[in-house]
Amino acid sequence: MEKIIEESKQGESLVLENKPENSKKLFIESYGCAMNFSDSEVVASILSTNGYNTTQKLEEADLVLVNTCSIRDKAEQTIRKRLEKYNAVKRINPKMKVGVLGCMAERLKSQFLEEEKIVDLVVGPDAYKDLPNLLNEVEEGRDAINVILSKEETYGDISPVRLMTNGITAFVSITRGCDNMCTFCVVPFTRGRERSRDPQSILNEIKDLWNNGYKEVTLLGQNVDSYLWYGGGLKKDFVNASEMQKATAVDFDQLLEMVAVGFPKMRIRFSTSNPQDMHESILHVIAKYPNICKHIHLPVQSGSNRILKEMNRLHTREEYIALIDKINAIIPNCAISQDMIAGFPTETEQDHQDTLKLMDYVKYSFGYMYSYSERPGTLAGRKMEDDVPEETKARRLQEIVDLQQAHARYRTEQYIGQTVEVLVEKVSKKSPNEFSGRNSQSITVVFPKENYKIGDFVNVLVERTTGATLIGKAIGLSEMN
């Protein structure tokens, strides 16, 4: 299960600076996880060198692309509604072409093209470089499809354009695919096996961001902790690597240190982590460098050993708790966040209580909580009956959410009276006279603007909390500026 981009960003359309020589217009919007939004930047970069400028007006587009998510049924239903909207516009503008990118494209390829005939092209997560060829096929009146999953593609040679962001924070993809085969998850089937990107291309991308005024990067992957570069190829094939390749391989703690040392005035985050790959060496690197944020997103999914086994999670409750204890010992001020699924097949009331007890032990700073929805193609979808009643799922999810809110308040109240370093990201939604940003622990902090500006690192004295947000006053610029 991946962290989903905040709700307000779902369906956000991408806008680039127009090139005067480009004559065609592209409308592209993204749904789902951070990786999808990052991939849309790669797609826009490829198409901007092939004659396309972006537009936010659907009606004037020559090409409409939607980057899709298959993680939950709700996400797929949202995208189906968008495709209906596109096709209503297409009836008025028949020259317009519609394409589906990403995870849903891989999963529902024939359905979209042949059965429902609602799109002109279908492009999987590893085939974006083939877009110009696929568009030529469409122009010649043929349906176009490429959903072949690659053993090599990382898009390390593509310089992504950036979403219309604050120009301060950016995602940098470091791995693609996943090898974990959790029974509830479609990612290994839609994004393929795990492979890592050349560290030099990652450093080059971050250098470019730094030169363009960015102050924070999030290293991104389905499972960043298992990053392993040994010259290219699948993670699972590392056992067959040469002795030289093994000796010169770069793993996640080494990459994290390279970035921290190479860009000491840039803040570094990473997501998503997997408990069995979060080695102690990574924790020591996080503790050592002040520019690495003290926040670990550590999905657990359930507090029940029986359910964890059914999910094919490669950790037990006891191992997870031992890791939490280790994080607290090595990085005492570290925030930990979670993913949790309520109502997985066969989940009993005792399993649910085990989850609540685990949450009480950890007291997560925040979390991403869902009720289980069966995903076609997953092992759980094929082999397990979705046997927990919807009303039971809803009640258990609400109990998880209520407990998480109480823990979030407990965690934020610990900051009252403390000074925290905040990277100013935007004007506060609630007041034009206040700035909003996050501290190292990824908790939102709001304070009066005064003479500070977006992109500043500001020390803020925390005076109160709303439960999820810290409220305070600035006391000066930090040493990170």
Side-chain angles (χ1 to χ4, degrees), residues 3-10 32-35 37 171 368:
K3 174 181 168 183
I4 302 292
I5 285 269
E6 63 185 270
E7 208 63 40
S8 63
K9 297 260 187 192
Q10 296 298 314
C33 67
M35 186 67 83
F37 283 72
F171 295 123
Y368 303 89

Side-chain angles (χ1 to χ4, degrees), residues 289-443:
Y289 294 97
N291 58 328
I292 302 178
C293 290
K294 307 305 183 259
H295 164 229
I296 298 173
H297 183 61
L298 199 64
V300 64
Q301 311 300 0
S302 173
S304 159
N305 273 336
R306 192 184 68 80
I307 293 296
L308 289 172
K309 191 172 181 180
E310 292 290 327
M311 290 177 165
N312 196 34
R313 297 290 287 174
L314 302 178
H315 61 86
T316 64
R317 173 193 179 93
E318 291 74 24
E319 288 167 339
Y320 187 88
I321 287 173
L323 177 56
I324 294 294
D325 291 344
K326 196 173 280 188
I327 292 169
N328 289 333
I330 295 171
I331 320 166
N333 58 339
C334 191
I336 301 168
S337 53
Q338 46 87 346
D339 284 351
M340 207 72 77
I341 300 174
F344 189 78
T346 76
E347 185 185 72
T348 64
E349 202 57 37
Q350 183 56 54
D351 295 323
H352 173 58
Q353 290 303 317
D354 286 348
T355 293
L356 297 179
K357 286 173 188 169
L358 177 71
M359 291 177 68
D360 269 330
Y361 184 87
V362 180
K363 292 183 173 61
Y364 295 100
S365 295
F366 47 94
Y368 303 89
M369 297 148 285
Y370 314 92
S371 61
Y372 175 74
S373 66
E374 188 178 284
R375 308 311 300 126
T378 62
L379 194 63
R382 295 199 306 271
K383 301 282 181 72
M384 300 177 191
E385 183 187 348
D386 188 3
D387 59 355
V388 179
E390 289 304 318
E391 60 269 22
T392 304
K393 286 183 190 176
R395 175 191 44 90
R396 290 177 184 170
L397 178 61
Q398 193 57 55
E399 288 175 8
I400 289 170
V401 169
D402 290 345
L403 188 57
Q404 180 54 59
Q405 287 177 340
H407 290 158
R409 178 172 285 279
Y410 167 79
R411 288 296 184 191
T412 55
E413 284 174 350
Q414 309 302 304
Y415 289 97
I416 295 173
Q418 290 190 25
T419 298
V420 296
E421 183 185 72
V422 179
L423 173 58
V424 183
E425 295 180 33
K426 58 189 176 184
V427 175
S428 169
K429 289 178 183 174
K430 294 189 176 176
S431 170
N433 300 316
E434 293 180 325
F435 275 136
S436 173
R438 288 174 296 162
N439 67 356
S440 178
Q441 289 75 14
S442 206
I443 296 168

Side-chain angles (χ1 to χ4, degrees), residues 83-262:
L83 289 170
E84 288 172 14
K85 166 72 173 172
Y86 301 159
N87 279 284
V89 175
K90 193 176 178 181
R91 283 192 284 274
I92 303 164
N93 176 16
K95 289 184 179 177
M96 189 175 95
K97 304 301 178 189
V98 175
V100 172
L101 312 176
C103 296
M104 223 173 140
E106 205 289 328
R107 198 175 81 71
L108 297 173
K109 45 194 178 283
S110 57
Q111 205 167 319
F112 282 153
L113 269 177
E114 294 156 22
E115 294 171 34
E116 300 179 35
K117 300 191 184 300
I118 52 175
V119 298
D120 301 291
L121 72 159
V122 175
V123 190
D126 291 347
Y128 298 142
K129 285 182 186 170
D130 199 28
L131 264 166
N133 297 328
L134 295 171
L135 287 168
N136 286 338
E137 291 285 305
V138 171
E139 290 299 327
E140 290 172 18
R142 295 187 290 273
D143 289 335
I145 181 169
N146 185 343
V147 291
I148 296 168
L149 292 173
S150 169
K151 293 182 179 181
E152 303 288 341
E153 186 60 79
T154 63
Y155 299 110
D157 58 334
I158 303 285
S159 179
V161 299
R162 296 294 159 189
L163 282 167
M164 198 77 161
T165 63
N166 50 22
I168 303 301
T169 63
F171 295 123
V172 175
S173 295
I174 67 167
T175 71
R176 297 184 75 82
C178 186
D179 288 346
N180 286 330
M181 297 297 175
C182 299
T183 59
F184 55 79
C185 187
V186 295
V187 166
F189 306 105
T190 59
R191 286 187 172 272
R193 300 303 294 263
E194 188 175 318
R195 62 271 187 206
S196 297
R197 183 176 160 192
D198 182 342
Q200 194 55 54
S201 76
I202 295 168
L203 293 170
N204 289 344
E205 184 176 335
I206 296 171
K207 183 179 180 182
D208 185 59
L209 288 165
W210 172 254
N211 290 340
N212 282 286
Y214 284 78
K215 300 294 182 69
E216 178 184 290
V217 293
T218 300
L219 306 178
L220 203 60
Q222 265 76 30
N223 184 7
V224 289
D225 310 301
S226 66
Y227 173 90
L228 182 65
W229 171 259
Y230 61 98
L234 297 178
K235 169 83 179 283
K236 72 180 182 67
D237 293 336
F238 180 63
V239 291
N240 302 320
S242 68
E243 291 307 309
M244 177 63 81
Q245 284 176 313
K246 288 178 180 176
T248 56
V250 176
D251 58 16
F252 185 59
D253 60 332
Q254 293 169 304
L255 176 70
L256 198 54
E257 188 158 35
M258 283 179 190
V259 178
V261 170

Side-chain angles (χ1 to χ4, degrees), residues 448-462:
K449 278 182 174 178
E450 297 182 29
N451 294 320
Y452 300 103
K453 62 185 185 299
I454 290 173
D456 283 344
F457 287 97
V458 180
N459 287 324
V460 176
L461 176 64
V462 179

